[in-house]
Amino acid sequence: MAQKRAIEKQIVEGSTLIGEPLSISVLEEEYQNDGAFLRKIQDLKEKNYKTLRKTRGDGNCFFRAFLFSSFEMFLTDKTEFDKFRVIAEKSKDDLISLGFPSFTVEDFHETFMEVLDKVGAPCTKTELLDVLNNQAYSDYLVVYLRLLVSGHLQKNADFFSKFYR
């Protein structure tokens, strides 16, 4: 258990939740001895991918990457922001109707909407990065996304039941 905590502490101290943009060539340096991975990096470069952002590998990296990418897009696409905001606002009631405890859902939803409204204010990429690198905000946003995924899986249980035994 102590070893696990030491590893977690090392991960936290060694990386931000969401990093600054880096050249994709960083991956070439990291995976210089992995031919298969290098071919995939080359494929990305041929598709004009120039930069990447690293996220902390703490089990929530997908959710944080999804949030940042989506919110970053909303900074420049008001139409998509408006569509998403309507869906996000309604999502609280959808989760409660699925049986999630209202007190829990409301708390996380409130924070999610607060951050979403900052994006729509609008804010800069730097301000967005600051908010999503704030551990308290970030953790609340991740929890809310996990609730949404859980709700979607429950609402579509017949479809998803085919993927597990």
Side-chain angles (χ1 to χ4, degrees), residues 8-22:
E8 289 170 351
K9 182 179 178 192
Q10 182 181 6
I11 290 170
V12 168
E13 290 173 352
S15 62
T16 58
L17 295 174
I18 300 170
E20 294 291 336
L22 300 171

Side-chain angles (χ1 to χ4, degrees), residues 12-44:
V12 168
E13 290 173 352
S15 62
T16 58
L17 295 174
I18 300 170
E20 294 291 336
L22 300 171
S23 169
I24 202 159
S25 63
V26 168
L27 293 177
E28 291 174 316
E29 296 166 18
E30 285 183 36
Y31 296 97
Q32 62 187 341
N33 297 321
D34 187 334
F37 205 78
L38 286 173
R39 284 188 296 279
K40 292 177 184 181
I41 296 167
Q42 186 59 39
D43 185 50
L44 289 173

Side-chain angles (χ1 to χ4, degrees), residues 102-161:
S102 62
F103 177 78
T104 303
V105 171
E106 287 170 357
D107 192 31
F108 291 109
H109 180 261
E110 182 180 307
T111 301
F112 189 87
M113 295 307 294
E114 177 186 335
V115 173
L116 186 59
D117 286 340
K118 285 182 184 185
V119 171
C123 68
T124 65
K125 282 186 189 180
T126 301
E127 291 168 329
L128 175 61
L129 196 57
D130 288 345
V131 169
L132 295 182
N133 271 317
N134 176 312
Q135 185 84 47
Y137 274 121
S138 185
D139 288 349
Y140 263 62
L141 298 173
V142 166
V143 168
Y144 195 69
L145 283 183
R146 287 183 178 277
L147 289 171
L148 290 173
V149 168
S150 177
H152 184 75
L153 291 171
Q154 289 178 39
K155 194 173 183 178
N156 299 283
D158 288 342
F159 175 78
F160 289 108
S161 67

Side-chain angles (χ1 to χ4, degrees), residues 66-125:
F66 174 80
L67 277 168
F68 185 83
S69 178
S70 299
F71 286 5
E72 182 181 38
M73 180 201 45
F74 296 151
L75 292 176
T76 58
D77 192 334
K78 177 83 167 111
T79 302
E80 287 302 312
F81 171 82
D82 290 341
K83 287 182 201 175
F84 184 82
R85 192 181 187 300
V86 168
I87 293 166
E89 185 67 46
K90 182 181 175 299
S91 66
K92 174 186 72 167
D93 295 332
D94 293 341
L95 290 172
I96 292 169
S97 73
L98 288 169
F100 288 85
S102 62
F103 177 78
T104 303
V105 171
E106 287 170 357
D107 192 31
F108 291 109
H109 180 261
E110 182 180 307
T111 301
F112 189 87
M113 295 307 294
E114 177 186 335
V115 173
L116 186 59
D117 286 340
K118 285 182 184 185
V119 171
C123 68
T124 65
K125 282 186 189 180

Side-chain angles (χ1 to χ4, degrees), residues 1-14 56 58:
M1 188 59 106
Q3 181 182 12
K4 181 183 176 200
R5 275 185 254 136
I7 292 169
E8 289 170 351
K9 182 179 178 192
Q10 182 181 6
I11 290 170
V12 168
E13 290 173 352
R56 183 182 296 162
D58 62 357

